[in-house]
Amino acid sequence: MVYRLFRFIILLEKTSLITDATLLKMFFKREVYDTYSNLVKLAALTPESRVVFKDLHTYYETFQDNQIDLAQFRIWFHQIKHPEINDNKHSIYSGLFDVLASTEVEDSKEFVEKTISYFKKRLIRKQIEDELMANGDLEVIQNILEANVSDSDLQNQNIPVENSARHIISRTKRDHGLTWGLNCLNQSIGPLIGGDFGCVAALVESGKTALLISQTVHMAKQIKEGKVLFFNNESTEEVVMSRLWCSTLGCTLEDIRQHPDKCEEEYIKQMNGDLNRVLFFEAHQISSSSIIAKAKKYNAKLIVIDTLDDLGYDSQNEVLRVRGLYQSLRRVAKICNVPVIGTTQCKATAMYKKREEGYTDTHFKRYIGWEELDQSTIGKPSTFDFLITMGKDIAFPNIRYIHTPKNKLPGDGHEYHRYIKREVNVDWTRSQYYDK
């Protein structure tokens, strides 16, 4: 165990692009300093960086700035706080300030916590290296690891969420969210914002993917910067992509085959100038951590998963696997601060047999409750902010029946719209849904 942990820390140090300047620069914001400064391990920094970090405290105590201006801080540091430093030290600090000027940091909780966690692990690495050079006592190394690694994850620090009116308003404001292509869903669920997690559920061959595609297209057209990540477990990515193009352009696949250049030009226009606004990924057994990494890499504004149940989550117990998988997807929405929409199956109880005039016929429930979800009894529905179920009637092949049996989102504010039951029309060749 010692070897594995030590090897991990060594690899972390070698591959990370985080520097002392990264840590210092992110604390130039008072809000970050007040929240996280007590978690910094000063011993992990260079002597010069430690001096600058300590002086941040003095600066915030002296001035009321919420954001430190580097040029002003630099003058204060050299002329007021440390006028006595010699030329050699002066050049060292000047070099550090030059690096700070060119260092860019992300303004996100995840980035701050990742940076602080890195420096804690860097200190652990240094302590282990020192022991290896001195005595090489594995018991001492084990003690170092046990004293530090167990709480190195900042999630265990139980850092409180910012409590201010402006923060609450900014994180709950929905008028800038992604709206639905169906007016009935705008009434019931309303615009989606970061952290929302919902699901479309239906029996097999009911049109879940078509509904997902039509709503993805409508939301993608609203995005000016960033991507939609579409994780596909159903047909091949190319087949799903072709259906998305048909839905975007309102045409058939044959139309695209006959006019590929014209269709591509119009598709780019519809996607606000980005041919790759929607990125497709093979998703069989992909992990939630891989989804998070891709979301950060591609600046995701919406994550779509078809289907949720086929994603990877390691557990020999199926109940624990499903619970763990859906809880991890709930965290994807929160960590990435994007809406996540997926699909899942309904149980066979969403259809029934009926004997009529000497023969037995199969009928389907039009409006399906949350209890009809596959594996609904093991906590799956509890993870959703909203659940959209879709029923059908074989007598009306181009009509689907939309129900929202679970809905924690405000919609249009009218309580009678929260748990809607609506008929909608479907154009299967174009993967488009319409309010009836």
Side-chain angles (χ1 to χ4, degrees):
M1 178 180 178
V2 171
Y3 170 75
R4 290 200 304 270
L5 287 169
F6 179 54
R7 182 173 180 271
F8 167 74
I9 294 166
I10 294 293
L11 290 174
L12 175 74
E13 175 76 7
K14 288 182 177 180
T15 58
S16 177
L17 297 178
I18 297 172
T19 65
D20 283 25
T22 308
L23 182 82
L24 294 173
K25 190 66 172 286
M26 71 185 191
F27 282 115
F28 274 46
K29 188 174 182 180
R30 183 186 289 270
E31 178 186 347
V32 176
Y33 184 87
D34 290 344
T35 306
Y36 295 97
S37 61
N38 64 313
L39 300 176
V40 175
K41 301 293 184 181
L42 290 179
L45 303 175
T46 64
E48 292 75 23
S49 296
R50 287 201 293 269
V51 171
V52 174
F53 183 84
K54 290 177 180 179
D55 285 345
L56 290 176
H57 175 76
T58 305
Y59 194 89
Y60 282 125
E61 288 288 308
T62 306
F63 305 100
Q64 299 303 311
D65 302 24
N66 290 323
Q67 182 85 36
I68 292 179
D69 179 87
L70 177 60
Q72 293 179 359
F73 180 82
R74 187 171 186 169
I75 294 171
W76 173 85
F77 180 90
H78 283 300
Q79 297 183 7
I80 299 175
K81 191 69 172 68
H82 301 285
E84 77 290 346
I85 59 175
N86 58 40
D87 291 342
N88 183 48
K89 280 288 185 180
H90 190 282
S91 63
I92 293 175
Y93 284 113
S94 293
L96 176 57
F97 285 124
D98 289 341
V99 174
L100 279 169
S102 61
T103 298
E104 295 184 0
V105 295
E106 297 178 27
D107 187 17
S108 70
K109 177 182 176 182
E110 291 77 17
F111 179 82
V112 173
E113 293 182 354
K114 174 185 174 183
T115 303
I116 296 173
S117 180
Y118 162 77
F119 277 94
K120 181 167 185 177
K121 290 172 183 175
R122 190 168 85 170
L123 176 60
I124 298 170
R125 175 185 183 270
K126 183 178 184 303
Q127 291 173 342
I128 291 174
E129 284 184 334
D130 290 345
E131 176 57 32
L132 287 173
M133 292 296 292
N135 304 307
D137 191 329
L138 292 180
E139 185 175 348
V140 173
I141 294 174
Q142 182 69 44
N143 291 337
I144 293 171
L145 290 169
E146 290 178 352
N148 293 282
V149 174
S150 60
D151 67 341
S152 63
D153 187 347
L154 284 175
Q155 292 180 355
N156 294 330
Q157 298 285 354
N158 198 23
I159 299 169
V161 176
E162 179 187 344
N163 185 22
S164 69
R166 292 184 181 277
H167 179 74
I168 292 170
I169 291 169
S170 68
R171 293 303 295 267
T172 58
K173 189 177 181 182
R174 289 189 173 271
D175 56 8
H176 67 288
L178 299 173
T179 62
W180 299 86
L182 288 170
N183 186 52
C184 63
L185 294 180
N186 284 319
Q187 290 178 332
S188 177
I189 298 170
L192 299 182
I193 62 174
D196 290 341
F197 178 40
C199 183
V200 176
L203 287 165
V204 294
E205 298 184 5
S206 292
K208 294 187 298 297
T209 300
L211 178 61
L212 206 60
I213 286 173
S214 68
Q215 302 313 298
T216 297
V217 166
H218 186 80
M219 293 181 183
K221 290 179 179 180
Q222 302 168 50
I223 297 172
K224 300 294 195 298
E225 295 181 2
K227 305 289 185 181
V228 177
L229 307 189
F230 197 116
F231 294 92
N232 171 55
N233 280 314
E234 292 293 288
S235 185
T236 66
E237 283 66 55
E238 288 74 18
V239 169
V240 180
M241 289 167 67
S242 69
R243 295 175 65 183
L244 184 130
W245 274 58
C246 291
S247 184
T248 303
L249 301 173
C251 69
T252 65
L253 184 56
E254 185 59 33
D255 293 330
I256 297 174
R257 290 193 179 105
Q258 291 182 6
H259 308 285
D261 294 336
K262 183 179 179 180
C263 286
E264 182 168 310
E265 181 181 351
E266 180 61 24
Y267 179 86
I268 293 173
K269 181 180 178 181
Q270 292 291 327
M271 292 296 171
N272 296 309
D274 189 350
L275 177 63
N276 295 309
R277 179 72 66 198
V278 183
L279 299 176
F280 286 85
F281 299 92
E282 157 61 41
H284 182 64
Q285 291 297 303
I286 193 172
S287 66
S288 59
S289 59
S290 295
I291 294 175
I292 292 171
K294 286 179 170 58
K296 292 182 177 180
K297 178 178 180 180
Y298 295 107
N299 187 26
K301 301 300 182 182
L302 173 67
I303 295 175
V304 181
I305 305 171
D306 189 22
T307 62
L308 297 169
D309 299 279
D310 291 334
L311 298 184
Y313 191 87
D314 189 19
S315 178
Q316 300 299 316
N317 183 293
E318 181 62 11
V319 172
L320 296 179
R321 188 192 76 82
V322 172
R323 284 180 180 171
L325 172 60
Y326 276 76
Q327 288 168 2
S328 71
L329 292 168
R330 162 91 262 174
R331 288 193 294 272
V332 168
K334 290 184 67 176
I335 292 172
C336 298
N337 193 32
V338 298
V340 175
I341 312 172
T343 62
T344 190
Q345 303 287 353
C346 284
K347 296 186 291 190
T349 52
M351 60 183 183
Y352 58 94
K353 302 288 186 179
K354 188 175 181 180
R355 188 170 180 79
E356 297 177 346
E357 299 180 359
Y359 68 92
T360 301
D361 198 5
T362 299
H363 293 262
F364 300 90
K365 291 184 178 180
R366 288 186 173 185
Y367 297 107
I368 301 171
W370 65 263
E371 70 279 357
E372 306 291 350
L373 262 66
D374 189 28
Q375 299 172 314
S376 62
T377 60
I378 58 176
K380 184 186 289 188
S382 66
T383 61
F384 302 134
D385 292 307
F386 63 88
L387 172 63
I388 303 168
T389 60
M390 187 168 60
K392 61 182 180 179
D393 188 328
I394 56 176
F396 305 101
N398 296 326
I399 295 177
R400 288 296 181 263
Y401 303 88
I402 299 292
H403 181 31
T404 52
K406 179 180 180 180
N407 183 13
K408 297 194 293 185
L409 302 186
D412 62 5
H414 296 291
E415 188 62 26
Y416 53 82
H417 283 157
R418 184 178 294 275
Y419 308 110
I420 59 163
K421 292 182 178 180
R422 297 284 192 276
E423 293 182 20
V424 296
N425 295 321
V426 190
D427 181 342
W428 298 111
T429 59
R430 294 171 175 80
S431 292
Q432 293 182 333
Y433 278 66
Y434 306 93
D435 288 284
K436 194 170 181 181

